Amino acid sequence: MSAPIPGQPPRSHLYVPADQPRFLRAAPRSGADALILDLEDAVAPSRKDGARAAAVAFAGEHPAGGPELWVRINEGARGRDDARALLATGRVDGLWMPKATAGAGLDTLIALVAGAPEVALGLLVESATGVLSLGDTAGRAGVRHLQLGEVDLRADLRMAPDPVPGDHLLDWARGLTVAHTAAHGLLSAVAPVSVHTSDPAAFRASSLRLRGLGFQGRACIHPAQVAVANEVFGVDPGELADAHALLDLFEDRLDAGSGAFRDSGGAMVDAATVRRARELTGRADRTA
């Protein structure tokens, strides 16, 4: 089974309704690399204030060395108040902005986060406008992750709700999210949730496909999905060892004056083909 690699982005991001004490108590034991305390869609309007207070209390008690702690804030003025309250704890790793688009709302949130440089910002891309404005938003100061919110995006595009787990109808938006993540040097693109929580085989299959598209982790809405996400988006120890071996061989050949060669399996190896190995291992490029 894969294990988290230091320096790699979270493999699993578990949403936890902040107004549900039972879920909050269980969340740290879920095995998720990152927890997202949800103050937005998962919380009824009448419970928003209580959810914020619970999130602040949870953050104050969250132990160092545990999973990363993020909060999905609300939209508008309530979201700004959410951000101020959570930032004041000094204990959150990041904030997720829902339905993120370019504009005054993002500008204000960026200004708030700028006062806490250790806190990252994630953008939830959940509308047609959000997808099409990624060129303006993904490169903004403090932004570290993009997450595609397909449930809202489907509704905005007047598409039917996901009829079959793992359909390909939003591959164009998935590709844009991954491309902007890479183009702007962000830490990761987080794959969308699956509402089919009782079908682990389908969740695994769709996760494998999403990883193939370039996503580096996945959002989960049920603890049972966490182990699958960790496995699919993790790095197998054998894969890591192979990456180190490939880099050792490449660097030996470079020292001998060869920038391109065939490996024992007949595959071409050059500076471009070892980029993934460098990402996995964190080894610097000696020729840079």
Side-chain angles (χ1 to χ4, degrees):
M1 179 175 293
S2 62
I5 303 296
Q8 293 293 308
R11 305 162 297 172
S12 53
H13 306 249
L14 178 63
Y15 278 100
V16 185
D19 66 333
Q20 300 295 323
R22 178 168 63 90
F23 294 159
L24 287 173
R25 288 194 298 271
R29 303 190 299 273
S30 67
D33 289 346
L35 304 178
I36 304 176
L37 305 186
D38 194 356
L39 303 180
E40 197 218 11
D41 282 351
V43 179
S46 62
R47 298 176 64 89
K48 296 282 189 181
D49 291 342
R52 181 195 295 158
V56 168
F58 185 94
E61 298 171 358
H62 189 63
E68 290 188 14
L69 183 60
W70 288 68
V71 180
R72 175 163 72 170
I73 62 175
N74 286 285
E75 295 183 81
R78 179 176 287 277
R80 292 190 289 274
D81 289 342
D82 292 337
R84 293 186 183 97
L86 271 300
L87 290 172
T89 69
R91 303 291 292 276
V92 296
D93 294 292
L95 302 175
W96 282 104
M97 180 184 184
K99 302 173 180 63
T101 62
L106 178 58
D107 294 341
T108 300
L109 186 57
I110 287 172
L112 288 173
V113 173
E118 73 282 359
V119 177
L121 183 59
L123 304 183
L124 274 156
V125 184
E126 302 179 277
S127 67
T129 302
V131 174
L132 296 179
S133 64
L134 279 170
D136 296 326
T137 60
R140 299 295 301 277
V143 176
R144 296 291 178 268
H145 300 274
L146 300 179
Q147 182 182 159
L148 191 59
E150 292 190 0
V151 175
D152 282 293
L153 180 58
R154 286 175 186 274
D156 193 50
L157 294 171
R158 302 178 179 88
M159 297 172 64
D162 184 6
V164 178
D167 77 31
H168 305 169
L169 298 178
L170 285 176
D171 277 0
W172 61 272
R174 296 163 182 163
L176 285 171
T177 303
V178 170
H180 280 283
T181 297
H184 294 284
L186 307 186
L187 292 180
S188 73
V190 180
V193 304
S194 171
V195 298
H196 302 280
T197 59
S198 60
D199 192 343
F203 185 76
R204 179 184 300 277
S206 63
S207 295
L208 286 167
R209 188 172 185 281
L210 289 163
R211 177 175 178 173
L213 288 173
F215 288 94
Q216 294 90 40
R218 189 162 193 186
C220 304
I221 57 173
H222 193 284
Q225 297 173 328
V226 168
V228 176
N230 284 347
E231 181 178 347
V232 170
F233 292 96
V235 180
D236 183 89
E239 183 182 1
L240 186 62
D242 289 345
H244 278 292
L246 177 63
L247 287 173
D248 289 342
L249 178 60
F250 178 68
E251 290 170 358
D252 287 344
R253 292 297 182 94
L254 280 182
D255 290 341
S258 176
F261 58 92
R262 295 187 184 278
D263 65 15
S264 59
M268 179 63 69
V269 178
D270 61 12
T273 60
V274 300
R275 282 185 61 182
R276 176 57 177 162
R278 293 201 188 283
E279 291 175 1
L280 290 177
T281 62
R283 285 169 56 170
D285 183 352
R286 295 188 311 169
T287 67

